[in-house]
C-alpha cells in the first residue's frame, strides 16, 4: 500500500490557510494486483473482535445534564405516568401509534423533564435525538442506533433504510426501550419516524407546537413553574430568603415577587438565583425592585421567534447578572467581550483552550489593522478585523478570573477535563447566548465573529492529531456559521470554513466532506460570485472529495471544468491553477488513464520549475507523483530511480526529518519491493519506522502507515505469520487512534484478511472480507474503489476455498461495476478481467479463459505497455490455458 498521506506529495487541498501538497490521495488498488499464480495482491481485512457484542443497557445521544436544584415537578410526572399506564386512552391520535409529548415554550423545562426520564430510565436501550430543523438528525441518530445494536437490515448503505431497520427492531424486540425526541418543530414531519407501540417501549418528545395529537399520544402541557415549584427552586438555590411557615405569597416572601416578575420561567429563575447567591449584600427584595425597573425590560431586542415574554425575562436577568460581573472585573469591558465571543460558538461547549492557547488568545486579543496598513495595504488590512475593546491587551490570567465570575453568575459554565471529557469546555445556555447576541452593538458584531473564527483556526490541530478537539472545533464552526453567516463571508470566506470541511474528510468522514463542500460552493457563489477566489477554491475541494469518495470520473469532470475558469480569472501560472492541473492528472490516473496521468505530470513539471523554482515544495511534489505514475504504467525501476534522486533533493531542501522526506523514503521502499527487492523494502521500512515515531509520534497516521507496509513486506519476504501478528496489533492501535470506520482502519482489515488466508486460514479470510465489505458499503459506499477491491478479493478467496463457480459469478458481477466506476482501462478493471478469465478456466471453461486472456493482453499492452508486470502475468496465464486447451507449444512456453 503506497503512503498516500499529505507528506507523500499526493494532491493538496487548497484553502484559505496554506495546506501542504499531498495531504490526501484518492484510493485505488496497488499496482501489480492481478490475482493469479505468479502475482501478488494487496488485500484488506476485518477481525472478529472489531465489532464487540452489544452490551446492555445501551445509551445513545447528547442528553443535557440536569440543572442544579432540578425540580421533579410531580404534577407533570403524574400526567406522564398516567399516559404511560393508559396507553391508548387519549383521543386525536393515529391508530397503532403511541408516545407522549411535552408541549411548552422555550426555557420552561421541557428538555429538563425529558432528560430526567432518560437519565433515570432502566430500559435496555435509551436513545436521545433532536428534531430541531427537521428529521435529518432523527434519521441519523436512528441509523447510528441501528448499527450499534446490529438491527437486522442495517447495513450502512442507506441511512434512511438503517433508521427504518431500527423502527422494525423496536417493534419486534422483547427488550425494553425509551426514545426521546427533543425539540420537535413539526410534529407531522416526525410521524414517519415515530416508533410503533410496544408493551415494553415508549416515546417521549418535546415541542413548542400547540396542536392536537392523534390517538396513542397524550399531550401534557408544560408551562412555567407553578408558584410552589418556583418558590421552592429559589429557596433551594438563592441566598437571603428567610425560612417561614406557609406559602411565600401568604408570608410576603420576596421569592414570590422575584418569581412573579420573571414569569416563573425556569431559565430566568436560574439567573436570578445565581445573582442572589453571589451578592449577599443585595436582598431578594432589592433584587425584585431591580427587576421591576422599566429600563430593564428590553422590548426592542426581543427575538423574532414568538417566545412571548420569556425572552424579556432572559434579557433582563442576563443583563442584571452581567452588571454584577462587570462591577467586580478588573479589566473594564472584558466580561461582556468574553460573553459575546462564547455566545457566537457552540452552546454545548466551546474549547476552554481558546482562552489559554497563545495563538488563539492572540487572535482574540490582538490589535486591529494599523493606520499605515489601511493606507498602504488596503486589501490586506480588510482581512484584519477591528480590535475588540474589552479584549485588547488582556492576558490569560485576567480571562481566567473573568470566566470564573461568569460561571458564578450562571452566565456561562466551565467544565474542566475529567473522566468523561478530554477537553475543558465553556458552555452557555442557548437563550442566554441569544440574549447576548441580540444586545451586542451592531458595529461590534462583525469583528467578534471574525476574531472568534480566527481563534478556532489557531486552535485547529494538524491532520491526524486530536480527533476529539477537531470534532469540537467543527461543531463550533457550524454553530458560528449558523448565527454569524454574513460576517464569515465578508470581506471573503473565512479560512475556518475550509478547515472544517477538510477536517471532516481527514478524519474519515469523506462523504460528509464532499457534501460540505457542495454546500460551501453554493454559498460562495451566492455571496461572493462565481469568479471569486474562494468560490474557485470551494469548487476545487468539492472535486477532490468527490474523487476520494469513489466518484473519480466526477472529480475529473469538475476539475476539467474548473481549470479554464482558473486560467481566465487567476492566470495560467497561478499556483492554484498549477495545483488543479496536478490533481486533474492524478484523478485521471485513478480513473484509469494512467499513461495520461504520467504525461500530464511530465508536462506540468517544467511549468512548476519555471514559475516556482526547482526547490519549491509543489515542484518536489510534482516530481514525487510523476515517479509514482511512471511506476504504475510499468516503469518500476524508473520510479525507484526518480524517487532516489528526489530523496537527495528533499534532504538538501527540507531536511532529513521533514514529513515529505520521510514519505519519499516510505514510497521508495515500497517501489523497491515492487521491483523485486523484497528484503530491501523490509529493511528500509524497518529503518524508517523509528524516525517516523521520533518525528511524528507513535500514533500519527503516517507512522501507522509505515507499520502497515513493514508488516506487508515482511509477509512478502516469507514471514507470513509475522505479517498477521503485526497487522493484528496495528489494527488495535488504528481503532483506538483513528476509529473503526476510518479508511486506513478498513484498509488494514482488508490486508489482515489477506495474510490470514496466506497463512492457511482461508475460510477465515472469506469470513473477514465478507464482514469488511458490509462496513465499507456503510462507510464508503458501494462504488468506492476500496469497496470494489474488497469484492474482488472476496471473490478470489472464495475460489481458493473451493467455491470456484461462486468466484466466477462474483467476478462477473463486479466487472460491470468496475467499468462503470473506474472505466474500462483502469488497472483494477483489467485485473478483474484477468481473474474472471482465470476462474472461468478453473471452472472448466478453458477456451473461454484463453479467449478472454487474449483479449485482455491486447488491452494491457495498449494501456500499460508490453513490459508491465500485469501484462507479463497475463501472457504467462494465457500460455498456461492454451496448454490446457491442447496447444503443446504454449504449454512449453508457460
Amino acid at each position: 500500500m503506497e503512503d498516500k498521506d499529505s507528506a507523500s506529495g499526493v494532491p493538496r487541498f487548497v484553502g484559505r490557510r496554506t495546506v501542504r501538497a499531498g495531504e490526501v490521495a484518492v484510493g485505488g488498488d496497488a499496482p501489480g494486483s492481478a490475482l493469479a499464480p505468479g502475482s501478488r495482491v494487496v488485500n484488506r481485512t476485518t477481525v472478529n473482535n472489531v465489532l464487540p457484542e452489544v452490551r446492555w443497557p445501551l445509551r445513545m445521544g447528547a442528553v443535557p445534564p440536569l440543572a442544579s436544584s432540578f425540580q421533579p415537578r410531580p404534577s407533570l410526572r403524574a400526567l406522564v405516568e398516567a399516559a404511560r399506564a393508559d396507553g391508548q386512552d387519549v383521543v386525536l391520535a393515529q391508530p397503532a401509534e403511541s408516545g407522549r409529548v411535552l408541549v411548552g415554550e422555550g426555557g420552561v423545562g421541557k428538555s429538563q423533564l425529558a432528560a430526567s426520564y432518560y437519565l433515570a430510565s432502566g430500559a435496555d436501550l435509551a436513545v436521545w435525538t433532536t428534531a430541531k430543523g427537521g428529521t435529518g438528525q432523527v434519521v441519523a441518530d436512528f441509523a447510528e442506533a441501528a448499527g450499534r445494536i446490529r438491527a437486522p437490515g442495517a447495513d450502512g448503505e442507506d441511512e434512511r433504510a438503517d433508521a427504518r431497520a431500527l423502527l422494525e427492531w423496536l417493534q419486534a424486540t422483547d427488550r425494553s426501550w425509551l426514545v426521546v425526541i427533543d425539540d420537535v418543530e413539526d410534529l407531522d414531519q416526525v410521524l414517519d419516524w415515530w416508533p410503533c407501540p410496544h408493551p415494553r417501549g415508549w416515546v417521549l418528545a418535546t415541542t413548542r407546537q400547540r396542536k392536537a395529537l392523534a390517538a396513542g399520544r397524550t399531550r401534557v402541557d408544560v408551562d412555567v413553574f407553578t408558584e410552589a415549584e418556583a418558590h421552592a427552586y429559589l429557596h433551594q438555590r438563592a441566598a437571603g430568603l428567610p425560612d417561614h411557615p406557609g406559602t411565600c405569597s401568604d408570608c410576603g416572601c420576596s421569592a414570590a415577587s422575584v418569581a412573579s416578575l420573571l414569569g416563573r420561567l425556569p431559565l430566568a429563575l436560574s439567573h436570578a438565583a445565581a445573582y442572589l447567591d453571589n451578592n449577599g449584600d443585595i436582598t431578594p427584595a432589592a433584587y425584585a425592585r431591580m427587576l421591576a425597573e422599566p429600563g430593564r425590560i428590553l422590548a426592542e431586542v426581543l427575538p423574532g421567534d414568538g417566545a412571548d415574554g420569556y425572552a424579556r425575562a432572559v434579557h433582563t436577568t442576563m443583563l442584571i447578572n452581567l452588571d454584577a460581573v462587570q462591577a467586580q472585573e478588573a479589566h473594564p469591558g472584558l466580561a461582556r467581550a468574553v460573553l459575546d465571543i462564547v455566545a457566537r460558538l457552540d452552546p454545548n461547549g466551546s474549547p476552554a483552550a481558546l482562552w489559554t492557547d497563545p495563538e488563539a488568545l492572540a487572535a482574540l486579543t490582538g490589535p486591529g489593522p494599523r493606520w499605515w496598513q489601511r493606507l498602504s495595504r488596503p486589501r490586506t488590512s480588510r482581512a484584519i478585523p477591528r480590535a475588540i475593546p474589552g479584549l485588547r491587551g488582556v492576558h490569560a490570567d485576567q480571562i481566567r478570573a473573568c470566566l470564573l465570575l461568569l460561571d458564578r453568575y450562571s452566565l456561562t459554565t466551565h467544565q474542566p477535563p475529567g473522566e468523561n471529557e478530554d477537553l475543558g469546555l465553556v458552555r452557555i445556555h442557548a437563550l442566554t447566548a441569544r440574549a447576548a447576541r441580540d444586545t451586542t452593538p451592531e458595529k461590534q458584531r462583525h469583528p467578534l465573529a471574525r476574531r472568534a473564527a480566527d481563534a478556532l483556526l489557531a486552535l485547529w490541530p494538524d491532520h491526524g492529531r486530536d480527533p476529539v478537539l477537531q470534532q469540537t472545533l467543527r461543531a463550533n464552526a457550524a454553530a458560528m456559521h449558523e448565527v454569524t453567516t454574513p460576517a464569515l463571508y465578508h470581506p471573503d470566506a473565512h479560512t475556518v470554513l475550509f478547515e472544517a470541511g477538510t477536517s471532516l474528510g481527514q478524519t474519515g468522514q469523506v462523504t460528509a466532506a464532499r457534501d460540505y463542500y457542495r454546500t460551501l460552493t453554493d454559498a460562495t457563489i451566492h455571496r461572493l460570485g462565481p469568479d471569486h477566489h474562494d468560490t474557485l477554491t470551494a469548487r476545487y475541494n468539492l472535486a477532490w472529495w468527490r474523487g476520494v469518495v469513489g466518484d473519480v470520473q466526477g472529480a475529473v469532470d469538475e476539475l476539467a471544468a474548473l481549470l479554464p475558469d482558473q486560467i481566465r480569472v487567476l492566470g495560467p501560472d497561478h499556483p492554484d491553477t498549477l495545483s488543479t492541473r496536478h490533481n486533474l492528472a492524478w484523478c485521471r490516473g485513478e480513473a484509469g488513464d494512467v499513461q495520461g496521468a504520467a504525461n500530464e505530470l511530465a508536462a506540468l513539471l517544467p511549468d512548476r520549475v519555471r514559475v516556482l523554482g526547482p526547490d519549491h515544495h509543489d515542484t518536489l511534489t510534482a516530481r514525487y507523483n510523476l515517479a509514482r505514475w511512471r511506476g504504475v504504467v510499468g516503469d518500476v525501476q524508473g520510479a525507484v530511480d526518480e524517487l532516489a534522486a528526489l530523496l537527495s533533493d528533499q534532504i538538501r531542501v527540507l531536511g532529513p526529518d521533514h514529513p515529505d522526506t520521510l514519505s519519499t523514503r516510505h514510497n521508495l521502499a515500497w517501489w523497491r519491493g515492487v521491483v523485486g527487492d523484497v528484503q530491501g523494502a523490509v529493511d528500509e521500512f524497518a529503518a524508517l519506522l523509528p524516525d517516523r515515531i521520533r518525528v511524528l509520534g507513535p500514533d500519527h497516521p503516517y507512522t501507522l502507515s509505515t507499520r502497515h507496509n513493514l508488516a506487508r513486506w515482511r509477509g512478502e519476504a516469507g514471514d507470513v505469520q509475522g505479517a498477521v501478528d503485526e497487522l493484528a496489533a496495528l489494527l488495535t492501535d488504528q481503532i483506538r487512534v483513528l476509529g473503526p470506520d476510518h479508511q486506513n482502519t478498513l484498509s488494514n482489515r482488508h490486508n489482515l484478511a489477506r495474510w490470514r488466508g496466506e497463512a492457511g486460514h482461508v475460510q477465515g479470510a472469506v469470513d473477514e472480507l465478507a464482514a469488511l465489505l458490509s462496513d465499507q458499503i456503510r462507510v464508503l459506499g458501494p462504488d468506492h474503489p476500496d469497496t470494489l477491491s474488497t469484492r474482488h478479493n472476496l471473490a478470489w478467496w472464495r475460489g481458493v476455498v473451493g467455491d470456484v463457480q461462486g468466484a466466477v459469478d462474483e467476478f462477473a458481477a463486479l466487472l460491470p461495476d468496475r467499468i462503470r466506476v473506474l472505466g474500462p482501462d483502469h488497472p483494477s478493471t483489467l485485473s478483474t478481467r484477468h481473474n474472471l478469465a482465470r476462474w472461468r478456466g478453473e471452472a472448466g471453461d478453458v477456451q473461454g479463459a484463453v479467449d478472454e486472456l487474449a483479449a485482455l493482453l491486447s488491452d494491457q499492452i495498449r494501456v500499460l505497455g508490453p513490459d508491465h508486470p500485469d501484462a507479463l502475468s497475463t501472457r504467462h496465464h494465457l500460455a498456461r490455458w492454451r496448454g490446457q486447451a491442447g496447444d503443446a507449444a504454449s504449454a512449453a512456453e508457460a
Side-chain angles (χ1 to χ4, degrees):
M1 183 180 73
E2 289 177 87
D3 187 10
K4 298 181 179 178
D5 51 41
S6 67
S8 70
V10 176
R12 66 175 183 172
F13 298 97
V14 178
R16 300 289 305 170
R17 185 170 74 176
T18 301
V19 179
R20 294 195 310 272
E23 286 198 347
V24 175
V26 175
D29 287 352
S33 61
L35 299 172
S39 61
R40 292 289 185 179
V41 180
V42 177
N43 295 320
R44 321 203 175 175
T45 179
T46 187
V47 295
N48 293 335
N49 63 354
V50 170
L51 298 174
E53 292 296 322
V54 180
R55 295 186 178 181
W56 306 99
L58 182 61
R59 299 289 178 267
M60 297 188 58
V63 58
L66 291 183
S68 177
S69 300
F70 169 75
Q71 297 297 301
R73 311 185 80 166
S75 59
L76 288 175
R77 287 182 174 276
L79 294 173
V80 174
E81 296 301 332
R84 290 186 62 187
D86 292 344
Q88 300 294 321
D89 288 349
V90 182
V91 296
L92 300 178
Q94 296 178 0
E97 295 200 345
S98 68
R100 348 285 155 208
V101 179
L102 305 177
V103 180
E105 293 292 346
V108 298
K110 304 181 305 301
S111 295
Q112 283 283 294
L113 186 56
S116 72
Y117 273 99
Y118 178 96
L119 295 172
S121 172
D124 292 326
L125 173 66
V127 178
W128 181 286
T129 186
T130 178
K132 181 176 175 62
T135 59
Q137 190 62 47
V138 175
V139 173
D141 289 342
F142 281 9
E144 181 183 358
R148 291 277 297 277
I149 65 173
R150 319 281 173 74
D155 57 8
E157 181 177 354
D158 186 320
E159 195 171 65
R160 294 174 69 87
D162 288 356
R164 291 289 180 198
L166 175 69
L167 296 179
E168 294 172 4
W169 183 91
L170 293 175
Q171 186 177 11
T173 184
D174 58 356
R175 291 191 176 274
S176 57
W177 53 266
L178 166 65
V179 173
V180 179
I181 309 176
D182 191 35
D183 206 1
V184 177
E185 293 182 346
D186 188 341
L187 283 167
D188 294 333
Q189 197 176 42
V190 177
L191 290 180
D192 287 341
W193 301 103
W194 201 284
C196 291
H198 190 277
R200 302 194 63 200
W202 65 298
V203 179
L204 189 62
T206 73
T207 182
R208 296 190 186 190
Q209 281 194 348
R210 296 184 181 276
K211 63 179 293 183
L213 305 176
R217 296 190 187 89
T218 299
R219 192 182 79 195
V220 177
D221 290 326
V222 179
D223 206 340
V224 296
F225 280 154
T226 65
E227 281 192 3
E229 290 167 345
H231 300 165
Y233 176 83
L234 288 173
H235 275 276
Q236 291 173 19
R237 282 283 320 274
L241 289 169
D243 295 330
H244 53 75
T247 66
C248 292
S249 299
D250 293 339
C251 296
C253 176
S254 299
S257 299
V258 173
S260 177
L261 288 165
L262 294 178
R264 303 197 304 276
L265 178 70
L267 176 61
L269 290 173
S270 70
H271 288 298
Y275 185 94
L276 291 170
D277 190 49
N278 288 290
N279 291 274
D281 56 333
I282 296 180
T283 67
Y287 182 71
R289 289 193 295 271
M290 292 170 63
L291 288 176
E293 291 176 15
R296 298 288 183 180
I297 305 298
L298 304 177
E300 68 273 16
V301 292
L302 285 179
D305 58 2
D308 298 336
Y310 298 146
R312 293 186 178 90
V314 175
H315 285 79
T316 299
T317 53
M318 184 203 77
L319 293 175
I320 291 176
N321 283 19
L322 184 58
D323 288 344
V325 170
Q326 290 173 327
Q328 301 175 49
E329 65 182 353
H331 189 88
L334 176 58
R336 178 71 211 215
V338 170
L339 185 68
D340 282 339
I341 291 290
V342 175
R344 281 156 176 78
L345 300 171
D346 184 9
N348 294 317
S350 56
L354 286 173
W355 306 103
T356 58
D357 179 83
E359 291 188 23
L361 194 58
L364 293 169
T365 62
R370 309 303 177 92
W371 64 268
W372 55 268
Q373 288 176 312
R374 292 195 296 268
L375 291 177
S376 62
R377 296 201 297 267
R379 179 167 180 79
T380 301
S381 69
R382 289 174 62 211
I384 306 174
R386 293 196 305 272
I388 302 172
L391 285 176
R392 182 172 181 179
V394 300
H395 52 74
D397 289 339
Q398 292 173 308
I399 292 180
R400 189 177 301 110
C402 179
L403 287 170
L404 290 175
L405 270 176
L406 292 170
D407 187 275
R408 282 179 57 195
Y409 283 87
S410 289
L411 290 168
T412 64
T413 60
H414 176 241
Q415 184 167 345
E419 293 183 0
N420 297 322
E421 291 208 45
D422 295 326
L423 299 174
L425 298 175
V426 177
R427 290 187 170 94
I428 186 172
H429 193 285
L431 291 182
T432 305
R434 175 65 184 269
R437 294 195 303 271
D438 286 350
T439 55
T440 301
E442 182 70 31
K443 67 178 182 180
Q444 295 182 18
R445 296 179 182 181
H446 182 274
L448 281 167
R450 298 291 292 196
R451 285 188 176 269
D454 289 344
L456 290 179
L457 193 64
L459 201 60
W460 220 292
D462 292 336
H463 164 47
R465 298 186 184 274
D466 207 338
V468 174
L469 176 58
Q470 291 207 46
Q471 181 179 2
T472 302
L473 292 172
R474 289 196 302 270
N476 277 268
M480 188 165 54
H481 186 268
E482 182 178 352
V483 300
T484 65
T485 292
L488 295 183
Y489 291 91
H490 179 74
D492 48 31
H494 198 283
T495 312
V496 77
L497 299 174
F498 295 91
E499 191 67 28
T502 300
S503 172
L504 277 171
Q506 289 174 342
T507 54
Q509 303 177 63
V510 293
T511 301
R514 177 204 61 193
D515 296 343
Y516 177 95
Y517 273 114
R518 181 177 287 121
T519 300
L520 184 61
T521 297
D522 293 340
T524 52
I525 291 173
H526 172 69
R527 294 183 177 276
L528 301 173
D531 288 342
H532 193 281
H533 185 206
D534 291 342
T535 302
L536 301 177
T537 299
R539 289 174 59 190
Y540 175 99
N541 284 285
L542 171 59
W544 176 254
W545 288 110
R546 282 189 68 175
V548 172
V549 300
D551 183 10
V552 185
Q553 189 57 51
V556 169
D557 295 342
E558 292 206 16
L559 288 170
L562 172 64
L563 183 58
D565 290 337
Q566 285 181 317
I567 293 173
R568 174 175 54 82
V569 175
L570 304 176
D573 290 339
H574 191 279
D576 284 5
T577 305
L578 299 178
S579 290
T580 296
R581 289 176 58 191
H582 181 279
N583 289 284
L584 178 57
W586 177 274
C587 290
R588 279 182 171 151
E590 291 294 335
D593 185 8
V594 291
Q595 188 61 56
N599 294 341
E600 290 186 24
L601 287 169
L604 170 66
L605 182 57
D607 290 336
R608 276 195 161 166
V609 171
R610 174 177 55 81
V611 174
L612 303 174
D615 291 340
H616 191 277
H617 180 267
D618 288 356
T619 304
L620 299 176
T621 297
R623 291 175 59 187
Y624 175 99
N625 286 292
L626 178 56
R628 190 260 184 185
W629 285 110
R630 280 180 171 159
V632 172
V633 299
D635 185 8
V636 182
Q637 187 59 52
V640 170
D641 295 341
E642 291 187 24
L643 286 171
L646 172 64
L647 179 60
S648 176
D649 290 337
Q650 286 178 318
I651 291 173
R652 173 179 56 83
V653 175
L654 304 175
D657 288 341
H658 191 280
D660 285 9
T661 305
L662 300 178
S663 190
T664 296
R665 290 176 57 189
H666 182 119
N667 288 277
L668 179 56
W670 168 270
W671 285 108
R672 280 187 169 145
V674 173
V675 83
D677 185 7
V678 176
Q679 188 58 49
V682 172
D683 295 341
E684 292 192 23
F685 278 119
L688 173 63
L689 182 57
D691 290 336
R692 275 201 153 164
I693 292 174
R694 174 176 54 84
V695 174
L696 303 174
D699 288 342
H700 195 282
Y702 307 163
T703 305
L704 301 178
S705 177
T706 296
R707 289 176 58 189
H708 183 117
N709 286 284
L710 176 57
R712 189 260 190 190
W713 286 106
R714 278 182 171 154
E716 297 289 352
D719 185 7
V720 176
Q721 189 57 49
V724 171
D725 295 341
E726 291 185 23
L727 290 172
L730 173 62
L731 182 60
T732 300
D733 291 336
Q734 285 179 317
I735 292 172
R736 173 178 55 84
V737 175
L738 305 174
D741 289 342
H742 194 281
Q743 190 171 347
N744 288 357
T745 306
L746 301 175
S747 177
N748 188 24
R749 289 172 59 189
H750 187 127
N751 286 283
L752 181 54
R754 179 259 173 120
W755 287 109
R756 281 189 168 143
E758 296 284 355
H761 305 293
V762 181
Q763 186 58 51
V766 171
D767 296 339
E768 291 180 16
L769 287 170
L772 171 64
L773 181 60
S774 175
D775 289 337
Q776 285 180 318
I777 291 173
R778 172 177 57 84
V779 176
L780 304 175
D783 289 340
H784 193 280
D786 286 3
T787 306
L788 300 178
S789 181
T790 297
R791 289 176 59 190
H792 180 113
N793 289 285
L794 178 57
W796 168 269
W797 286 107
R798 280 188 168 145
V800 173
V801 84
D803 185 7
V804 176
Q805 188 57 49
V808 171
D809 294 341
E810 291 194 22
F811 277 120
L814 172 63
L815 182 58
D817 289 335
R818 275 201 153 163
I819 293 173
R820 174 176 54 82
V821 175
L822 301 176
D825 291 339
H826 193 281
S828 296
T829 305
L830 301 177
S831 177
T832 297
R833 289 175 59 189
H834 180 114
N835 285 283
L836 175 57
R838 181 261 169 102
W839 288 107
R840 277 183 171 153
E842 297 287 351
D845 185 6
V846 177
Q847 188 59 49
V850 169
D851 295 341
E852 291 187 21
L853 287 171
L856 171 64
L857 180 60
S858 175
D859 289 336
Q860 284 178 321
I861 292 173
R862 173 178 55 82
V863 175
L864 304 175
D867 295 332
H868 192 279
D870 286 3
L872 299 177
S873 177
T874 298
R875 286 178 59 190
H876 174 90
H877 288 88
L878 177 57
R880 174 209 173 184
W881 288 109
R882 279 178 171 158
Q884 293 284 337
D887 186 345
S890 295
E893 179 183 346

